[in-house]
Amino acid sequence: MKKTLLVLLILALMAPGCSWFKDSKEKPAEELAADGIRYYEKGDYTQAIESFEKLKDWYPFSKYAILAELKLADSYFKRKNYEDAIYAYEYFESLHPRNDAIPYVIFQIGMCYFEQKALPDRDQTATESALENFLRLTREYPASAEAAMALEHIKICQETLARHDLFVGAYYFKAKEFHAARVRFRDILAAYPDVGVHRQALEYVALCDAFIAKEEAQAMELKAKAQEERREEAEKYKKKLDKERAKAVKKGIVIPEAESGPPESE
């Protein structure tokens, strides 16, 4: 009897529509979308993320699913959770590459990296990624409003990267690594428009060239001095042999002419 009651209870719980197994808070897709937008506009991004995730998971084929995917990325961005935001934006682009929102998505990916850019004396990986995405936007969607917005950010990224190269070049210069320093300063002149550091870069290039020329002249002087010392040593060695030969001749001993200078020291 007890087994029969248990089976009946299990079947009742498994029946479609049973409130015991159904999420009592489940809402229609339209209502979840409205909730997510309302939370987003209020600045409650945690609740917005929860609503958009439910909408995306529960109603993946709903007409509101695309909205949920995009606003979920926006909510992560607003929370400054840039890693998750980048993933969400890139996921959106992979699913909807022809969507009208793609210029906005690329711009937002750039902004995720832009918000993480460091000072010029720090690692510039984020700045480089931001610049890459902004430039891609201007190439692929030049007429978009987002491309126009990206131009100012491109300038800031280029200035940051140029100042980074200036900082690194100055470090090498102080360490008297003039060749490495010159490479950095020339990169500024070649890779970036004039963002306020070209004059410094040009001055540093001129100084590097002067020091490199001086080093090369000193190296040539040392080389010539070493050659002269070897020549003088060879002459001394030859004179010594000549004296020895002369002594030997007096004694009736014939010594063949030397074919080389003094033996090299090991």
Side-chain angles (χ1 to χ4, degrees), residues 72-135:
L72 183 60
D74 286 342
S75 299
Y76 283 130
F77 177 79
K78 289 292 187 179
R79 285 185 62 186
K80 299 183 180 181
N81 192 342
Y82 299 121
E83 185 175 342
D84 286 339
I86 291 169
Y87 176 83
Y89 285 126
E90 290 179 343
Y91 181 74
F92 181 93
E93 184 180 5
S94 69
L95 290 180
H96 317 288
R98 299 182 183 278
N99 191 278
D100 290 341
I102 294 302
Y104 169 78
V105 168
I106 298 173
F107 178 79
Q108 285 298 108
I109 294 172
M111 287 302 300
C112 286
Y113 288 114
F114 185 83
E115 292 296 332
Q116 298 178 82
K117 72 179 182 64
L119 295 172
D121 61 341
R122 304 295 178 183
D123 178 74
Q124 294 301 311
T125 301
T127 310
E128 291 169 350
S129 296
L131 180 60
E132 180 182 344
N133 279 278
F134 290 139
L135 289 174

Side-chain angles (χ1 to χ4, degrees), residues 156-256:
I156 294 171
C157 289
Q158 289 175 333
E159 180 179 0
T160 302
L161 293 173
R163 291 191 179 280
H164 174 72
D165 278 352
L166 188 71
F167 173 82
V168 175
Y171 173 83
Y172 284 132
F173 184 85
K174 289 177 182 178
K176 297 184 179 181
E177 297 288 343
F178 301 117
H179 286 278
R182 184 171 61 179
V183 168
R184 287 287 183 165
F185 298 132
R186 285 182 171 176
D187 282 348
I188 294 172
L189 301 174
Y192 307 110
D194 190 355
V195 289
V197 299
H198 269 211
R199 181 176 178 180
Q200 288 176 276
L202 285 168
E203 291 173 350
Y204 267 120
V205 168
L207 288 172
C208 287
D209 286 342
F211 279 109
I212 289 171
K214 183 178 179 180
E215 286 181 341
E216 289 175 348
Q218 289 175 340
M220 291 295 293
E221 184 179 343
L222 289 173
K223 183 179 179 180
K225 185 177 180 181
Q227 290 175 340
E228 178 63 21
E229 288 175 351
R230 285 197 295 272
R231 186 185 65 78
E232 291 177 354
E233 185 179 354
E235 288 181 355
K236 289 180 181 178
Y237 181 74
K238 185 176 182 300
K239 288 179 181 180
K240 182 178 179 181
L241 284 180
D242 289 343
K243 288 180 180 179
E244 294 294 330
R245 186 178 294 107
K247 291 179 181 179
V249 169
K250 288 181 179 179
K251 295 179 180 180
I253 302 172
V254 178
I255 300 177

Side-chain angles (χ1 to χ4, degrees), residues 55-70:
L55 174 54
K56 187 167 66 76
D57 294 341
W58 293 355
Y59 306 100
F61 304 109
S62 165
K63 64 180 181 180
Y64 300 104
I66 291 181
L67 170 69
E69 292 164 359
L70 186 57

Side-chain angles (χ1 to χ4, degrees), residues 8-23:
L8 291 173
L9 179 58
I10 292 173
L11 291 173
L13 293 174
M14 294 176 64
C18 178
S19 61
W20 285 35
F21 279 78
K22 185 177 179 180
D23 190 335

Side-chain angles (χ1 to χ4, degrees), residues 47-59:
Q47 289 296 322
I49 288 171
E50 183 177 338
S51 295
F52 292 132
E53 283 184 339
K54 286 180 179 179
L55 174 54
K56 187 167 66 76
D57 294 341
W58 293 355
Y59 306 100

